[in-house]
Amino acid sequence: MRYTHYKLILTLLFLYLAVGLYTPIFAQQKVIPSLLLWDNKPATDWMTEAYPIGNGKIGGMIFGGVNQEHIQFNDNTLWTGDENSRGAYQAFGDLFIDFVQADKTFSGYRRELNLATANHVIRYAQKGVNYKRTYFCSFPDKVMVLRLVADKKASYSATIRLKDMRATLTTVVGNKIQFSGKLANGMPYQATAQVKIENGTSRIVADESGNKQLKIEKADAITLIFTAATNYSNKREDNWKGEEPAPKIERVLKQAVAKPYEALLKAHVADYEKLFNRFSLNLGVATASNINVPTHQRLINYKKTADAALEALIFQYGRYLLISSSRKGGLPANLQGLWNESNNPPWGSDYHSNINIQMNYWLAEPTNLSECHIPYLDYINSMREVSKVNTRKEYPNTRGWTVRTENNIFGGMSYLWNTPGSAWYAQALWEHYAFTNDKAYLRNFAYPILKEISEFWDDHLKRRPDGTLVSPLGWSPEHGPTEDGVTHDQQIVYDLFTNYIEAAKILGIDSAYKNHISDLRVHLLKPKIGKWGQLQEWETDRDDPKDQHRHVSQLFGLHPGKEISFAKTPELAKAAKVSLIARGDESTGWSMAWKINFWARLKDGDHAYKIVQNFITPVGGSGTDYNKGGGIYANLFCAHPPFQIDGNFGATAGITEMLLQSQDDFIELLPALPSAWKDGEVKGLVARGNFELNMKWSDHKLVAAVLLARAGGSCTVKYQGKTAVLKTKKGERYDLMKVLK
């Protein structure tokens, strides 16, 4: 046993040292093997193999080729369409670096994405020279940075070029490469790369189409600082237009280029770590046999050998992707986060309102990324006025607003009207308050929106002669007939009314309207249990026990809603379980992620874990499959298929539900801990009420639990039949093992 541990320690030490290639020029900031995605060959496919980096606005997909580097890049404001047409999210362009090497062979290749620092690093040897490239997207400096070094002088000769996805010409002035253009909707855009070389020479060359390129010869090192922009603003009152891209880019690059590379890197890592390091998860040791193989091979091996560290890596990958695609002041993550290689991407890479954008943010609050939630909340606020206009055209004589299924960044919509969509949006507004206890936010930002969406449903609900209220002409996405009283709609409206009532109570305002909404909630058509014990999807008892559709929309009240639980409605919870069993465990990637959350809420950790295992299924192709075939690609992107990021986010959220729940007016510790996670530790989980928890368990038993009251106030904590009622003070920590009785 001692020999095995000694051998493991030596192996990990070797890996740690190896990534530095033993030379000071290759010094690495921080390497934690359990937080690395890596491969031993360059990527050849965008969707399944390239690794993503991003700063919430611009992002890149990195191929890591040796003789040619290819980085496909995006800015998430580049959209066609307008208020009347959805349009589509656009690919921006490509950055290529063609290296001049007489010998195309190479050895010792490794590319890795370090989740601990949000850096992408590539290493290889060629013609006796050790090369290293480091790439990152900086939120504080608003740029993508590429740093290319070698352990021998004059080792870099290359041609650097940019390519616009709309075929406009690229220009070069000095060492600045750029292109600019305008979309059909009038949106201007620009991408610019400033190249700094150490020694060597550079000159401007052109290709056969007249695109200018920068040719570098015998440089010791290259630093490339890149950014892209449009004139988009999320303010309708400004006609969605802000500063033009050219002066914006000039200002950003001037500030960034003036800084040493080390300062850019330090600022980036410090900013990222403030978010990422709030949370840690240990589900098991990352063994040498696991971390010694490329990530794509770990996925294959996972089906044969347990790898709890891979499960934790995939969990943290979800947090990495949210930090990288959703930062304060920007747009929310769309169907692909912010990474997109097509001008006609699947579903427009849009904001889908019937689960997808909501699912993107289930993880934000509980995994301590509350700031990353704000772009979604701002997006909801920015769409209100356009949505009101469109809603009144479709539903005359109604106050408030709702949305269609497909939505863009200007308020433009398409496809079916999704009447409960805005009510589902409202849940995010409430949850941000529930987790932060920020009354100023609730009063000034969330409450007005909660009220106007409640007013829409006040006017839109159908009153039956017996007093029952039903949502008219609903659709259980994406499944079944259009009719009144669909369970999915009824549960979302119940959730909206519940949150509005609570908000009005907390703020002590609008008591008359609060009482009116309370009366409406009482008369809503309730969930029903059907003839085979299932939770009915429709008011009519027609559910087919052999139906394994990917959506399980009738279980909204179980998750992410809070109407159904074993604590409050045990019979409905049992019926939900019957429905979930009938739908089956295998499905598309995002559907499996939702099922992890369902089973966690049902307190069945082993079944939730079974879905986790199903989710971690390697998928090779990148085609479209609406039914079965989901899992994850070699780069750990979720395969719907094709790539949809909500599965990554939803799986991370599901694992948090297995470890901590707080939707039932109490905090429950390890409510769905599976047998497979015998020992583990989690730090930085957040419960509603703004309580942060650290927990450790051994042999499936809780051995340490500390609660930090970030806002103070009372809370009830439960664990396996034990209860603690605490009256806490802001900033104080509480040892729960001493008070659970």
Side-chain angles (χ1 to χ4, degrees):
M1 181 63 73
R2 287 183 178 177
Y3 173 75
T4 302
H5 285 302
Y6 179 70
K7 184 177 179 182
L8 174 59
I9 291 169
L10 285 177
T11 302
L12 293 174
L13 181 61
F14 171 78
L15 284 170
Y16 181 81
L17 293 172
V19 296
L21 294 179
Y22 302 100
T23 62
I25 196 170
F26 294 141
Q28 180 74 7
Q29 288 240 335
K30 180 188 294 183
V31 176
I32 303 173
S34 60
L35 290 174
L36 292 179
L37 284 69
W38 73 278
D39 211 322
N40 56 5
K41 62 183 186 302
T44 59
D45 182 75
W46 181 93
M47 185 176 297
T48 65
E49 296 178 351
Y51 286 155
I53 59 173
N55 67 0
K57 185 178 183 293
I58 59 172
M61 292 290 286
I62 299 166
F63 286 72
V66 170
N67 300 304
Q68 181 192 74
E69 176 61 282
H70 176 199
I71 301 177
Q72 185 275 323
F73 60 85
N74 294 100
D75 176 295
N76 62 5
T77 64
L78 190 68
W79 269 79
T80 58
D82 51 32
E83 290 188 2
N84 301 306
S85 171
R86 187 206 67 180
Y89 179 41
Q90 300 292 283
F92 212 119
D94 300 271
L95 167 66
F96 294 98
I97 305 176
D98 299 309
F99 296 97
V100 179
Q101 294 288 351
D103 182 1
K104 300 295 185 182
T105 62
F106 56 92
S107 62
Y109 181 89
R110 180 183 174 108
R111 63 183 173 100
E112 64 188 31
L113 177 60
N114 186 344
L115 304 188
T117 56
N119 292 341
H120 186 294
V121 178
I122 299 161
R123 297 178 180 84
Y124 58 92
Q126 193 170 36
K127 296 181 66 177
V129 180
N130 291 316
Y131 292 89
K132 178 187 175 184
R133 310 180 206 155
T134 302
Y135 309 153
F136 58 89
C137 273
S138 168
F139 177 73
D141 287 298
K142 301 178 178 61
V143 291
M144 182 189 301
V145 180
L146 283 61
R147 173 71 171 166
L148 290 69
V149 297
D151 64 356
K152 183 179 178 181
K153 292 185 178 297
S155 291
Y156 278 107
S157 295
T159 300
I160 303 176
R161 54 193 172 97
L162 290 181
K163 178 184 177 184
D164 182 4
M165 279 293 288
R166 283 142 296 275
T168 62
L169 288 178
T170 302
T171 63
V172 179
V173 178
N175 279 9
K176 186 182 292 184
I177 313 170
Q178 70 181 37
F179 63 76
S180 60
K182 189 172 287 188
L183 300 181
N185 63 0
M187 175 180 280
Y189 62 87
Q190 180 177 315
T192 306
Q194 178 80 47
V195 182
K196 299 166 69 175
I197 64 172
E198 296 174 24
N199 298 320
T201 61
S202 66
R203 58 189 174 92
I204 300 171
V205 297
D207 66 12
E208 62 277 6
S209 300
N211 289 290
K212 297 297 192 296
Q213 304 169 353
L214 189 65
K215 187 175 182 65
I216 297 170
E217 294 179 337
K218 296 184 178 180
D220 295 345
I222 301 172
T223 302
L224 190 150
I225 301 175
F226 168 88
T227 195
T230 72
N231 72 339
Y232 175 78
S233 165
N234 69 348
K235 298 184 185 300
R236 191 196 187 213
E237 59 268 28
D238 295 333
N239 198 28
W240 308 106
K241 295 177 181 178
E243 185 181 11
E244 292 298 298
K248 187 187 308 183
I249 285 175
E250 183 178 2
R251 185 179 63 256
V252 167
L253 283 181
K254 183 178 180 180
Q255 294 172 351
V257 170
K259 299 178 181 180
Y261 165 77
E262 292 75 13
L264 293 170
L265 176 62
K266 183 178 180 180
H268 158 69
V269 173
D271 169 78
Y272 174 79
E273 287 183 338
K274 284 180 183 178
L275 294 170
F276 188 80
N277 286 355
R278 292 174 183 169
F279 190 104
S280 64
L281 177 65
N282 179 7
L283 298 175
V285 175
T287 64
S289 61
N290 289 333
I291 60 177
N292 269 335
V293 298
T295 304
H296 74 267
Q297 186 62 47
R298 284 184 76 178
L299 290 175
I300 297 170
N301 296 349
Y302 180 80
K303 293 302 178 182
K304 301 176 183 178
T305 307
D307 189 351
L310 177 62
E311 295 157 5
L313 175 68
I314 290 169
F315 175 96
Q316 289 284 30
Y317 191 50
R319 296 183 71 244
Y320 166 82
L321 292 173
L322 188 63
I323 297 169
S324 301
S325 62
S326 184
R327 297 298 297 269
K328 192 173 181 179
L331 287 165
N334 60 42
L335 280 177
Q336 297 181 169
L338 56 69
W339 299 279
N340 170 35
E341 67 168 343
S342 171
N343 289 334
N344 186 29
W347 302 281
S349 193
D350 73 346
Y351 297 110
H352 247 56
S353 68
N354 68 355
I355 185 173
N356 309 89
I357 187 172
Q358 295 94 335
M359 193 175 190
N360 283 358
Y361 288 90
W362 289 348
L363 79 160
E365 302 289 347
T367 70
N368 227 326
L369 295 177
S370 187
E371 295 94 329
C372 295
H373 203 177
I374 291 173
Y376 177 32
L377 309 180
D378 285 342
Y379 172 81
I380 295 168
N381 184 51
S382 71
M383 299 299 113
R384 291 161 66 191
E385 297 308 315
V386 185
S387 297
K388 288 175 184 177
V389 172
N390 292 329
T391 299
R392 289 189 188 108
K393 291 178 182 177
E394 183 70 18
Y395 303 103
N397 304 316
T398 59
R399 296 167 292 170
W401 56 276
T402 192
V403 294
R404 290 181 181 267
T405 301
E406 300 175 338
N407 302 270
N408 69 14
I409 64 172
F410 312 103
M413 301 182 286
S414 64
Y415 195 49
L416 301 176
W417 276 93
N418 178 31
T419 50
S422 61
W424 198 340
Y425 285 178
Q427 185 185 65
L429 295 165
W430 170 255
E431 288 289 83
H432 185 66
Y433 168 76
F435 278 91
T436 63
N437 277 12
D438 185 344
K439 284 189 179 180
Y441 154 81
L442 182 63
R443 178 182 298 104
N444 301 324
F445 187 95
Y447 182 81
I449 309 176
L450 288 169
K451 184 176 181 181
E452 63 193 25
I453 298 173
S454 296
E455 289 173 337
F456 171 82
W457 282 99
D458 185 359
D459 296 342
H460 187 65
L461 286 169
K462 181 183 288 188
R463 274 75 168 166
R464 288 178 173 171
D466 65 356
T468 301
L469 301 177
V470 294
S471 169
L473 299 178
W475 181 42
S476 187
E478 299 170 353
H479 190 212
T482 299
E483 62 186 32
D484 296 348
V486 171
T487 301
H488 167 265
D489 293 17
Q490 298 294 135
Q491 292 175 347
I492 292 179
V493 176
Y494 179 93
D495 187 80
L496 167 69
F497 285 174
T498 299
N499 296 336
Y500 170 75
I501 293 164
E502 188 65 21
K505 284 181 182 177
I506 290 166
L507 297 175
I509 58 177
D510 286 339
S511 60
Y513 195 65
K514 170 184 65 78
N515 293 338
H516 173 65
I517 294 296
S518 297
D519 182 66
L520 295 183
R521 185 178 64 170
V522 169
H523 290 90
L524 287 171
L525 178 68
K526 303 299 188 296
K528 293 186 173 184
I529 299 174
K531 57 193 174 188
W532 46 279
Q534 87 282 11
L535 188 72
Q536 290 178 203
E537 189 162 359
W538 302 277
E539 185 178 8
T540 301
D541 190 359
R542 65 164 70 91
D543 302 80
D544 181 355
K546 296 181 180 180
D547 182 359
Q548 295 194 329
H549 194 273
R550 63 192 177 275
H551 280 266
V552 199
S553 300
Q554 70 271 32
L555 300 194
F556 174 93
L558 176 65
H559 183 277
K562 53 194 174 187
E563 182 179 2
I564 298 172
S565 70
F566 279 119
K568 294 185 293 191
T569 58
E571 293 305 315
L572 290 177
K574 291 177 184 176
K577 185 174 183 178
V578 170
S579 292
L580 193 54
I581 291 172
R583 282 290 161 91
D585 295 336
E586 296 181 6
S587 190
T588 62
W590 69 264
S591 178
M592 286 191 287
W594 199 5
K595 289 173 181 177
I596 298 168
N597 289 271
F598 284 145
W599 283 111
R601 286 279 175 97
L602 290 170
K603 311 299 172 71
D604 191 335
D606 285 335
H607 206 138
Y609 182 72
K610 180 182 178 183
I611 310 297
V612 170
Q613 292 180 301
N614 290 348
F615 180 78
I616 307 177
T617 296
V619 176
S622 56
T624 300
D625 186 338
Y626 288 89
N627 296 303
K628 294 187 178 180
I632 49 180
Y633 298 120
N635 59 6
L636 302 188
F637 271 166
C638 172
H640 173 52
F643 163 48
Q644 274 190 210
I645 205 166
D646 49 8
N648 291 103
F649 294 145
T652 297
I655 291 174
T656 68
E657 293 286 338
M658 296 166 73
L659 300 174
L660 184 75
Q661 294 180 26
S662 59
Q663 71 279 359
D664 283 331
D665 300 321
F666 58 85
I667 300 169
E668 186 168 6
L669 312 181
L670 305 181
L673 186 69
S675 302
W677 295 342
K678 180 181 177 183
D679 306 310
E681 185 173 13
V682 61
K683 295 180 179 179
L685 268 173
V686 181
R688 291 166 182 84
N690 206 3
F691 298 102
E692 184 175 317
L693 289 107
N694 297 341
M695 295 183 290
K696 186 175 184 179
W697 63 95
S698 178
D699 197 19
H700 303 110
K701 297 294 183 182
L702 193 66
V703 295
V706 175
L707 178 145
L708 169 63
R710 303 200 302 195
S714 299
C715 68
T716 300
V717 182
K718 295 186 177 183
Y719 172 70
Q720 293 189 353
K722 299 178 180 180
T723 301
V725 179
L726 302 174
K727 293 183 179 180
T728 70
K729 293 182 179 180
K730 182 178 180 179
E732 295 291 326
R733 295 182 184 272
Y734 299 85
D735 186 344
L736 298 180
M737 302 307 293
K738 294 181 179 179
V739 295
L740 282 167
K741 299 177 181 179

